[in-house]
Amino acid sequence: MFIFDRIKSYIKSARADQDQRWKRLIFAAPFWVIVVSLVLIAVFSIRGYLLCKACNDQYAAQYWINGDENKLFGQVSVYAQGMRTQGAESPLLNLGRDYSLSVADISTMRTSLQGVVDSFAKGKVTGLDRDGSPRGWEDCYSTFLNGTISVCDSDSKSESSFSDTEVVAVSGNFTAFHPMEYLSGGFLPEKPVDKEQIVLNDVLAWKLFRSYDVIGKQLELFGEKFTVIGVVRVPDSKINSKAKADEPRVFIYFTELDELDSNNYFNSESYSIFLEYTDSKLAVNCYEVMLPESLAGVATSDVLAALPVYNANDPQFLVLRNSGRFSPYKIYDYMIPLGENSRKNAIFNFPYWEKAAIITTETVFVDGCFVLAGIILLIIGIIMMSLKRNKNKNESQLIETEADKS
């Protein structure tokens, strides 16, 4: 009987202790709600900020402003459509003026945009440069395809060739929009000195040579010999990996690719749906501009007005303002309604930097949802803390009142 009473007493004592622990936990709940909310807000705010800053090619306008509040620049990108006749190994070809951009279109747009800049500069700028390049503003254009690259000399320490290498053909001031870290050499000069120059990313340089010190090496691409003049580093991040920015890649001149296509290297002779007003069948995939602005957003309107053909009711070109694209409002506007922009963008072939920006937008949107949840929890925690404090205050007043009566 004595043992049974001891067991009952132990169980009763354990229950009482557990009840006390639960009460302490409940009383401490507002504190833990606030702690969890602050952790959510801090972690996902910082992560979102770092992800956005990692897309440094979306902040070119800020580099140009350089802290001068009197300056205002707008970075705008235009993505056009094209058709590949032989898969990823063939270049994008023109689908017509309603859908694609050609080099001739770029020239027309430059003339139009230069007029805008001249009027903005109040006579300080006087038209395009002699070679047709912008003055007082910057632009570049590009396209991409896959190709097989081979080492010409026999002292390669690794693979002598590599297929499925992404070839980015560029023209204009490409590095003004896409700052790069160089492991050796530099990038293609804006005004070509030797059109058969090539730049590798570090992934390809290591695969081919097990070294980044490869300046002067000879490579064969599309049946032509190219001289390596630089190696650029690929930023190491999960988003870059998802966007395939860390795949083997080279950069060549757009004019060289255009010449190869003109010589029918890509067997596009039978392609008949191309623009009749230009000798080039090659389509520009991405056109990027950096324009001075009097008001934020004006650059986008200027680019839309400069496009040879643009129908706002049925846009076949994607015109986006890179400046400020990671603001909370812009991210919300892109993501809501969910999936709408993904469906609209399915008709475009995006280069790796735009894929990275889209993935960043989607990821930061999710992070923003966690931050919003943290803010809601913080408000709930503050309300709980306030109610608890008022309850304790009322209980204390009641005890004091009863003590006074007694």
Side-chain angles (χ1 to χ4, degrees), residues 178-240:
H178 305 280
M180 299 180 181
E181 179 184 344
Y182 302 99
L183 299 179
S184 63
F187 200 73
L188 302 169
E190 183 179 353
K191 296 183 179 180
V193 177
D194 179 2
K195 65 179 182 179
E196 292 178 344
Q197 292 178 330
I198 195 169
V199 174
L200 318 182
N201 70 0
D202 57 343
V203 178
L204 182 61
W206 191 257
K207 284 182 177 293
L208 293 177
F209 300 103
R210 288 289 186 269
S211 171
Y212 305 131
D213 186 16
V214 295
I215 306 304
K217 294 290 186 182
Q218 297 287 312
L219 299 175
E220 184 175 327
L221 175 68
F222 302 138
E224 299 286 337
K225 287 187 178 181
F226 291 83
T227 303
V228 178
I229 64 166
V231 177
V232 297
R233 191 179 79 84
V234 176
D236 183 18
S237 71
K238 289 184 179 179
I239 285 182
N240 274 323

Side-chain angles (χ1 to χ4, degrees), residues 85-146:
T85 58
Q86 300 173 42
E89 288 72 28
S90 60
L92 283 172
L93 300 177
N94 261 301
L95 290 172
R97 178 169 265 187
D98 292 337
Y99 304 93
S100 301
L101 287 176
S102 68
V103 176
D105 292 327
I106 300 300
S107 179
T108 302
M109 292 182 70
R110 279 179 169 176
T111 302
S112 175
L113 294 172
Q114 186 67 53
V116 173
V117 173
D118 287 348
S119 62
F120 181 82
K122 298 180 181 179
K124 294 180 181 179
V125 184
T126 56
L128 295 169
D129 205 348
R130 290 182 178 180
D131 62 355
S133 58
R135 298 180 64 184
W137 58 289
E138 295 293 342
D139 74 347
C140 72
Y141 56 93
S142 59
T143 190
F144 65 96
L145 70 160
N146 286 356

Side-chain angles (χ1 to χ4, degrees), residues 68-358:
D68 188 347
E69 295 181 357
N70 296 320
K71 292 181 180 179
L72 192 61
F73 285 88
Q75 179 187 358
V76 181
S77 297
V78 180
Y79 292 97
Q81 300 179 58
M83 183 179 76
R84 300 188 190 275
T85 58
Q86 300 173 42
E89 288 72 28
S90 60
L92 283 172
L93 300 177
N94 261 301
L95 290 172
R97 178 169 265 187
D98 292 337
Y99 304 93
S100 301
L101 287 176
S102 68
V103 176
D105 292 327
I106 300 300
S107 179
T108 302
M109 292 182 70
R110 279 179 169 176
T111 302
S112 175
L113 294 172
Q114 186 67 53
V116 173
V117 173
D118 287 348
S119 62
F120 181 82
K122 298 180 181 179
K124 294 180 181 179
V125 184
T126 56
L128 295 169
D129 205 348
R130 290 182 178 180
D131 62 355
S133 58
R135 298 180 64 184
W137 58 289
E138 295 293 342
D139 74 347
C140 72
Y141 56 93
S142 59
T143 190
F144 65 96
L145 70 160
N146 286 356
T148 298
I149 194 158
S150 304
V151 179
C152 294
D153 48 22
S154 58
D155 63 347
S156 174
K157 298 178 181 178
S158 185
E159 302 176 48
S160 60
S161 66
F162 195 84
S163 59
D164 293 328
T165 298
E166 184 173 89
V167 181
V168 182
V170 306
S171 184
N173 195 353
F174 188 78
T175 53
F177 300 87
H178 305 280
M180 299 180 181
E181 179 184 344
Y182 302 99
L183 299 179
S184 63
F187 200 73
L188 302 169
E190 183 179 353
K191 296 183 179 180
V193 177
D194 179 2
K195 65 179 182 179
E196 292 178 344
Q197 292 178 330
I198 195 169
V199 174
L200 318 182
N201 70 0
D202 57 343
V203 178
L204 182 61
W206 191 257
K207 284 182 177 293
L208 293 177
F209 300 103
R210 288 289 186 269
S211 171
Y212 305 131
D213 186 16
V214 295
I215 306 304
K217 294 290 186 182
Q218 297 287 312
L219 299 175
E220 184 175 327
L221 175 68
F222 302 138
E224 299 286 337
K225 287 187 178 181
F226 291 83
T227 303
V228 178
I229 64 166
V231 177
V232 297
R233 191 179 79 84
V234 176
D236 183 18
S237 71
K238 289 184 179 179
I239 285 182
N240 274 323
S241 180
K242 288 181 181 178
K244 297 187 176 180
D246 57 355
E247 295 293 312
R249 182 175 292 104
V250 299
F251 300 87
I252 64 172
Y253 283 113
F254 192 99
T255 51
E256 180 66 11
L257 188 68
D258 201 7
E259 186 175 320
L260 286 165
D261 184 65
S262 298
N263 294 332
N264 202 36
Y265 177 84
F266 300 104
N267 297 320
S268 58
E269 192 175 41
S270 60
Y271 178 66
S272 59
I273 315 173
F274 60 88
L275 303 180
E276 296 180 357
Y277 63 87
T278 178
D279 293 332
S280 174
K281 299 187 292 292
L282 216 58
V284 172
N285 172 251
C286 176
Y287 180 50
E288 302 171 86
V289 301
M290 180 76 62
L291 291 171
E293 294 182 310
S294 55
L295 294 171
V298 172
T300 308
S301 301
D302 293 336
V303 171
L304 286 169
L307 278 169
V309 177
Y310 185 79
N311 182 357
N313 296 322
D314 184 26
Q316 297 300 322
F317 299 93
L318 175 62
V319 181
L320 61 87
R321 182 179 175 86
N322 304 85
S323 306
R325 73 180 297 178
F326 294 136
S327 68
Y329 170 75
K330 288 289 186 182
I331 291 175
Y332 174 84
D333 186 54
Y334 178 85
M335 294 297 300
I336 304 298
L338 291 174
E340 180 178 330
N341 275 307
S342 296
R343 290 189 294 271
K344 289 180 179 178
N345 294 343
I347 61 176
F348 299 102
N349 287 272
F350 288 125
Y352 68 90
W353 59 84
E354 181 58 24
K355 290 178 182 177
I358 291 173

Side-chain angles (χ1 to χ4, degrees), residues 11-43:
I11 293 173
K12 187 176 181 180
S13 175
R15 280 182 177 177
D17 290 343
Q18 187 172 1
D19 289 343
Q20 285 296 112
R21 283 196 295 268
W22 273 111
K23 286 180 181 179
R24 285 196 296 268
L25 183 62
I26 291 170
F27 289 148
F31 170 78
W32 289 113
V33 168
I34 291 174
V35 168
V36 170
S37 69
L38 292 175
V39 169
L40 284 174
I41 293 170
V43 169

